[in-house]
Amino acid sequence: MSECIFCKIASKEMKSSIVYEDDEIVAFKDIEPKAPVHLLIIPKKHISGLTELGKADELLIGRIVGLSKTLAEQFSFSQCGFRLVANSGPDAGQAVEHIHFHLLGGRKFGWPPG
Ligand code: AMP
Ligand code: ZN
């Protein structure tokens, strides 16, 4: 997707602060952090959101969830707690139409979210 900013980050056409990368996934720092650590985990493949996931993406999404655990350990908030969030659609405030998972840690979070 030529105009997608997260595709551009995945392809390094756009600069970002990458903390993890493999052949399928990139994790980078959110440009407007909502917590002391705020990472975005994305597949390199363009999928516009949760509603566009197919059966063939299940392994990929499982790998992203598994990576959130590894990154939480690396950033030292695995034991005290953290949040993994995916916003879908306008009511949830999804601003970027390339599926992404927010990994937030380093502070206490309220529930329910606003
Ligand atoms: P969402 O509202 O769930 O779509 O979240 C999109 C997130 O992407 C927001 O938290 C933004 O701060 C973040 N974001 C937008 N552009 C960039 C960028 N160029 N680099 C890093 N994070 C970004
Ligand atoms: Zn994209």
Side-chain angles (χ1 to χ4, degrees), residues 39-57:
L39 306 177
L40 296 171
I41 311 176
I42 66 167
K44 286 185 172 176
K45 165 184 166 185
H46 183 88
I47 302 168
S48 58
L50 286 171
T51 54
E52 300 310 310
L53 282 173
K55 191 92 183 140
D57 300 315

Side-chain angles (χ1 to χ4, degrees), residues 1 4-8 43-47 97-99:
M1 270 272 200
C4 171
I5 59 168
F6 286 0
C7 281
K8 287 181 178 170
K44 286 185 172 176
K45 165 184 166 185
H46 183 88
I47 302 168
E97 293 202 351
H98 179 128
I99 195 169

Side-chain angles (χ1 to χ4, degrees), residues 17-114:
S17 193
I18 291 178
V19 298
Y20 174 87
E21 179 174 16
D22 64 32
D23 56 333
E24 290 186 312
I25 298 170
V26 183
F28 54 96
K29 293 184 181 172
D30 195 292
I31 205 165
E32 287 181 42
K34 310 295 187 297
V37 179
H38 184 174
L39 306 177
L40 296 171
I41 311 176
I42 66 167
K44 286 185 172 176
K45 165 184 166 185
H46 183 88
I47 302 168
S48 58
L50 286 171
T51 54
E52 300 310 310
L53 282 173
K55 191 92 183 140
D57 300 315
E58 285 180 357
L59 196 59
L60 176 63
I61 299 306
R63 290 197 58 233
I64 287 174
V65 174
L67 177 62
S68 73
K69 172 197 158 175
T70 305
L71 290 171
E73 287 165 356
Q74 278 175 19
F75 282 86
S76 306
F77 49 71
S78 162
Q79 293 308 310
C80 52
F82 59 95
R83 189 163 282 172
L84 184 65
V85 177
N87 295 318
S88 177
D91 278 4
Q94 182 181 0
V96 179
E97 293 202 351
H98 179 128
I99 195 169
H100 52 280
F101 295 79
H102 299 256
L103 176 61
L104 302 123
R107 68 167 172 87
K108 280 189 186 295
F109 298 99
W111 190 262

